[in-house]
Amino acid sequence: MGLFNSSSILQYFVTFIFITLFVFTTFGNTSVSKKHSKYYEDISNGAIAYAYPISNIKIDGDISDWPKNLTKYPINKLPYGNAPKDQNDFDAYFHIGYNTSEQAIYVMVVVTDDSYIVDTSEKSDWNTQDTFNFYVDLLHSPNGSGVDLYQYGENYKDTNNQSISWDPSKTKTNWDNVKIISKRKGNTTIYECKVKATNQLTENKTIGIDYVFIDKDADDSEGRNSFIAWGNGGGKSSGPGRLGDVILLKEKQKTQTITGQLKWKNDTIKKFPNKIRFTTIDNPMLWTQVIIDSTGNYKTELPIGKYSISPVNDIIYDDPNIIRIDTENIKTNVIVSENNADKNNVLELARKTKPDMIGSKGVLQDFNPKNSKKIDEFIKTYQDHYKIPGVSLALIKNGKIAYHKTYGVKNTFTKEKISNTTLFEAASITKPVFGFAVMRLVERGIIDLDKPLHEYLPFEEIAHDDRYKLITARHVLTHKTGFPNWAYMNEDGKIDIKFTPGTKYGYSGEGFEYLKRVVAHITKKDIDDLLKEEVLTPLGLENTYFSKNDYLTKVVANGHFDNMPTQASLPNEPGMAWSMHTEAKTFTNFLLGISDKKGLKSETYKQMFSLETEIPKGDNDPIPEEYKNYFGLSLSIQKSPFGLAFGHGGNNGDFKCLALMYQDLDMGFVIFTNSNTGDRLHDDLVEYLITGKRNKDK
């Protein structure tokens, strides 16, 4: 296959940017952070509770007015951190009910905790004491509505930042309609909660609820916290579909256990969807999601009624491939009755055939703008197959832009269309842009490629390892620093050195961030200003930004995991490994500028295109021997049967993109997508546009 075409090779040119692990992914309450895509693929909540009408409840910490017959739902999932030592150390359960005349949800939580900590200082925060995090989605749309988060401690109250929500109805979360009271007795803490709705509560409706409790123990000298939750996973306010389902039942309404199994018409397929959705036939407001085990079986309890069943997500990941489920022909109706507890319902799945529009020769080689309908048809067909919400595409031929178009939507919840002004996260494509700026400084003698960076600016966090004093700007730009990609990927979350700098290849975003700090220190300039002077203006990248501003907030697309939108969290500070925002037409100016040797001396370009680092071929790498992959100075470079190719890929999890130029052919393309499946389209696009269909089994 070839550079930028194989999923296994693409990973060398992409990166997952830094996350503040607990604050954002658990609570979604910080202004900038990003996500690791695997984290979202693993999430499958599946928690279900049933709420019945209740009345005459006072939120005062006295629970004697609560009905005695309400079901007890345990809170014992472990989303993060340390597991509790035992039930006395940390354990919880909840009761839930509702009142339609008051338009209110009532929740009572009982927490057992033998070490209860309250932070009475002015710096009190969610992680400095025992904290209750309460998540609410009263609309709970199957299409993924927004979530309100209420963080509560005895000396701490906060909410999530809804300005970055994908749901425009969530303009602000406040405490006006929420009341939480806590009362401590012995080793038990009682939390009583009341949430008022606005004509959203009706019988036989599903709402979204979840909880995460943080336990801080006095005898923990390392300051580590324990976490327990009701439903599986984290990220509960940063993306849709991650809360538990609470079904509001009528008084004395009955439920019944139902079991079932998923089967494939093609029995060679061994993987199954992780969840299926049950929706009542006569009332789409009552729906829930049920977890499927690895053998395709499920078991759950549902209200009596007639349901339609369908997969929650019709994509199954079977790396390096995906399986698309043919959802148009598999919906099944199931009746849940009082006497069908032992009935095993079978849902038969069929695979959707992948499109086959790739010929033996790349269409860009003979491309004429008059035939652009073929390009549009290809993008739309494969975009639909991979469930990619939005695409920005620009084609290059004969040293100029040959075609540019946008497709799809910015946000699958709002359905707002992608336009020519919509900006995407460029992820690791940021790296060669920063690399270009560094080479401009090198030309003027402001920084030396081979002078150890610590001589410009020490890096205190890694100073305990003397090998860091070997690291140079050349090592950073050629991915030979020895740093991990990101420190958070280490078990302890701390940066380290994996090998002696300069001795071998190791893709690293941390290296670029260190070099950024060095450059800012040397030049005494803001990085945004420096990039404008050294790259954006010289190469004509007008519609390009590296940190948050009012304009970017208005035009940025939402990222998506499995077709569900994520928060539009923008960086407060530029990150030189990941934070650029731009679109395809604009970024072709960078590729063309590099190809035309603009802005730098010819000798500097020779250095940039030198094959500094060979990327080792993995044991399971399907790339044929005639393709060799390298890094120059911040550029990904490939020797191929089609000549020299250069560019870079990008992967921030919910955004994936690729900029690729075949120098000898004088053609290439730039594509940005707001989807975790965008790289699948990139792979096919290389073949469709440039190489023609290749033998992937070589």
Side-chain angles (χ1 to χ4, degrees):
M1 293 187 12
L3 181 67
F4 313 106
N5 189 54
S6 163
S7 295
S8 60
I9 285 297
L10 184 61
Q11 66 183 338
Y12 292 124
F13 312 121
V14 301
T15 185
F16 303 109
I17 71 176
F18 182 78
I19 61 171
T20 306
L21 183 59
F22 294 136
V23 179
F24 186 83
T25 55
T26 309
F27 312 125
N29 196 31
T30 186
S31 60
V32 53
S33 286
K34 288 300 296 178
K35 299 76 59 178
H36 187 305
S37 64
K38 184 66 166 66
Y39 166 77
Y40 286 90
E41 291 168 12
D42 284 345
I43 290 175
S44 174
N45 198 322
I48 303 174
Y50 305 95
Y52 288 91
I54 57 177
S55 58
N56 301 317
I57 303 294
K58 291 183 179 180
I59 304 300
D60 55 8
D62 180 358
I63 61 173
S64 61
D65 51 359
W66 280 76
K68 307 303 180 186
N69 60 344
L70 293 181
T71 301
K72 179 190 295 186
Y73 294 100
I75 301 173
N76 56 15
K77 305 296 184 183
L78 306 175
Y80 299 116
N82 301 310
K85 300 171 186 175
D86 51 40
Q87 288 186 330
N88 289 324
D89 174 41
F90 198 28
D91 193 32
Y93 66 86
F94 74 95
H95 299 298
I96 188 165
Y98 72 101
N99 188 308
T100 53
S101 62
E102 296 180 13
Q103 282 292 293
I105 299 291
Y106 287 90
V107 174
M108 184 257 285
V109 185
V110 179
V111 178
T112 301
D113 180 10
D114 58 10
S115 178
Y116 181 69
I117 303 298
V118 178
D119 184 354
T120 58
S121 71
E122 293 182 358
K123 296 183 178 180
S124 170
D125 208 342
W126 65 268
N127 59 350
T128 64
Q129 60 192 306
D130 287 49
T131 307
F132 170 29
N133 294 272
F134 184 27
Y135 305 82
V136 181
D137 175 11
L138 296 178
L139 177 59
H140 207 40
S141 166
N143 297 321
S145 43
V147 176
D148 294 310
L149 164 61
Y150 302 94
Q151 295 179 291
Y152 176 87
E154 281 196 28
N155 193 35
Y156 179 75
K157 287 175 71 173
D158 201 4
T159 60
N160 54 331
N161 175 14
Q162 293 289 16
S163 69
I164 59 176
S165 177
W166 62 94
D167 182 348
S169 70
K170 296 291 182 182
T171 56
K172 186 178 180 182
T173 300
N174 59 59
W175 289 83
D176 293 349
N177 294 313
V178 175
K179 185 176 183 180
I180 301 177
I181 295 291
S182 64
K183 188 174 183 180
R184 180 76 174 173
K185 184 176 182 181
N187 68 344
T188 299
T189 306
I190 304 293
Y191 295 89
E192 279 193 297
C193 315
K194 180 180 180 180
V195 181
K196 294 206 69 175
T198 307
N199 299 320
Q200 292 175 298
L201 296 186
T202 62
E203 297 172 336
N204 286 322
K205 172 183 167 62
T206 305
I207 63 172
I209 294 286
D210 220 316
Y211 323 90
V212 173
F213 284 88
I214 296 95
D215 179 36
K216 192 170 189 66
D217 289 339
D219 60 356
D220 184 0
S221 60
E222 297 183 12
R224 298 177 300 176
N225 296 330
S226 296
F227 296 75
I228 54 175
W230 176 39
N232 289 331
K236 296 180 187 295
S237 65
S238 59
R242 298 180 184 132
L243 306 187
D245 296 334
V246 175
I247 301 176
L248 310 182
L249 299 180
K250 299 178 182 179
E251 188 174 0
K252 297 182 180 181
Q253 186 173 349
K254 294 183 178 180
T255 62
Q256 180 58 278
T257 299
I258 180 172
T259 61
Q261 184 178 29
L262 274 58
K263 290 185 177 181
W264 286 98
K265 290 182 179 180
N266 180 349
D267 59 10
T268 63
I269 301 175
K270 303 302 180 184
K271 287 199 170 185
F272 294 95
N274 62 358
K275 287 178 287 187
I276 57 172
R277 178 173 293 160
F278 285 77
T279 305
T280 49
I281 299 292
D282 57 351
N283 177 21
M285 291 193 301
L286 198 164
W287 60 274
T288 191
Q289 298 179 162
V290 177
I291 293 177
I292 306 298
D293 69 19
S294 60
T295 63
N297 292 296
Y298 66 85
K299 182 178 182 180
T300 192
E301 184 179 355
L302 293 172
I304 303 301
K306 188 175 182 180
Y307 297 82
S308 66
I309 311 177
S310 61
V312 174
N313 183 20
D314 60 2
I315 289 183
I316 300 174
Y317 297 93
D318 189 19
D319 287 337
N321 302 309
I322 69 167
I323 299 169
R324 274 294 309 274
I325 302 171
D326 184 1
T327 56
E328 294 180 3
N329 301 310
I330 64 167
K331 285 188 178 179
T332 300
N333 292 342
V334 172
I335 296 176
V336 179
S337 62
E338 292 188 47
N339 57 1
N340 74 341
D342 297 325
K343 185 176 180 181
N344 190 24
N345 299 279
V346 176
L347 177 61
E348 191 173 53
L349 304 176
R351 183 172 190 165
K352 190 173 183 178
T353 303
K354 179 182 175 178
D356 185 11
M357 299 176 64
I358 301 172
S360 59
K361 183 179 180 181
V363 301
L364 191 54
Q365 303 206 33
D366 299 318
F367 176 71
N368 185 319
K370 294 179 180 179
N371 299 326
S372 60
K373 288 184 179 179
K374 292 182 179 179
I375 302 291
D376 296 342
E377 182 183 0
F378 176 88
I379 294 294
K380 291 176 181 178
T381 300
Y382 282 71
Q383 179 185 4
D384 176 72
H385 181 73
Y386 294 125
K387 300 193 75 172
I388 300 169
V391 175
S392 177
L393 174 71
L395 307 183
I396 298 171
K397 188 174 182 182
N398 298 328
K400 62 182 181 181
I401 298 174
Y403 189 61
H404 168 242
K405 192 162 184 179
T406 60
Y407 310 82
V409 298
K410 293 171 61 174
N411 178 331
T412 54
F413 184 75
T414 65
K415 310 298 184 186
E416 183 181 355
K417 297 288 187 182
I418 297 283
S419 73
N420 291 343
T421 61
T422 302
L423 300 187
F424 294 72
E425 292 184 15
S428 286
I429 294 181
T430 308
K431 292 181 175 73
V433 173
F434 178 57
F436 184 89
V438 171
M439 296 309 294
R440 297 256 295 181
L441 301 179
V442 169
E443 278 193 345
R444 302 202 298 274
I446 296 172
I447 188 171
D448 187 324
L449 277 175
D450 297 307
K451 181 177 178 178
L453 293 181
H454 82 95
E455 295 184 22
Y456 295 110
L457 181 69
F459 190 172
E460 296 299 333
E461 290 180 46
I462 196 63
H464 61 276
D465 190 331
D466 281 344
R467 293 179 297 173
Y468 110 91
K469 293 182 179 180
L470 300 172
I471 296 173
T472 66
R474 187 184 301 275
H475 293 151
V476 170
L477 298 179
T478 59
H479 295 281
K480 288 185 175 180
T481 59
F483 285 151
N485 190 3
W486 294 109
Y488 82 83
M489 292 178 171
N490 288 334
E491 187 174 349
D492 61 3
K494 297 179 180 179
I495 193 166
D496 63 351
I497 295 178
K498 305 294 185 183
F499 55 83
T500 301
T503 61
K504 61 181 181 179
Y505 167 76
Y507 191 86
S508 176
E510 293 286 0
F512 275 75
E513 293 305 303
Y514 180 26
L515 182 56
K516 175 191 75 175
R517 296 191 294 272
V518 170
V519 167
H521 177 74
I522 294 171
T523 63
K524 307 301 181 186
K525 290 182 178 180
D526 178 85
I527 289 294
D528 275 319
D529 292 339
L530 183 138
L531 290 167
K532 185 175 181 180
E533 294 173 10
E534 304 295 347
V535 190
L536 305 191
T537 298
L539 296 186
L541 275 68
E542 294 88 358
N543 203 21
T544 301
Y545 306 93
F546 297 86
S547 57
K548 185 177 181 179
N549 59 65
D550 291 342
Y551 176 74
L552 181 57
T553 300
K554 294 176 182 177
V555 299
V556 70
N558 287 87
H560 294 77
F561 284 103
D562 295 343
N563 220 38
M564 286 288 189
T566 56
Q567 294 173 326
S569 54
L570 300 175
N572 289 326
E573 301 292 337
M576 290 300 90
W578 59 272
S579 77
M580 183 169 67
H581 289 72
T582 187
E583 50 84 30
K585 185 177 182 180
T586 294
F587 198 74
T588 57
N589 289 336
F590 182 80
L591 276 188
L592 290 171
I594 296 291
S595 184
D596 294 339
K597 307 297 187 289
K598 290 183 178 179
L600 293 170
K601 298 175 183 178
S602 59
E603 288 300 315
T604 307
Y605 269 111
K606 286 182 180 179
Q607 289 191 73
M608 286 188 70
F609 279 86
S610 61
L611 305 181
E612 296 269 352
T613 306
E614 183 171 357
I615 299 172
K617 184 177 172 68
D619 293 338
N620 298 317
D621 199 332
I623 292 182
E625 288 299 323
E626 60 265 31
Y627 290 86
K628 299 291 184 180
N629 300 297
Y630 305 87
F631 263 106
L633 292 174
S634 79
L635 288 174
S636 301
I637 302 173
Q638 181 187 77
K639 287 182 177 180
S640 80
F642 298 87
L644 189 72
F646 68 89
H648 214 287
N651 177 354
N652 277 354
D654 51 353
F655 285 88
K656 293 189 178 180
C657 49
L658 178 61
L660 177 59
M661 185 76 180
Y662 281 79
Q663 185 167 279
D664 296 344
L665 299 177
D666 201 17
M667 65 176 63
F669 66 90
V670 178
I671 183 170
F672 289 91
T673 72
N674 57 345
S675 171
N676 65 313
T677 56
D679 53 340
R680 315 285 178 156
L681 174 58
H682 306 165
D683 294 352
D684 292 331
L685 197 59
V686 173
E687 295 189 41
Y688 179 72
L689 292 176
I690 309 291
T691 70
K693 187 174 291 186
R694 292 179 284 193
N695 184 358
K696 296 180 174 65
D697 296 324
K698 287 185 179 181

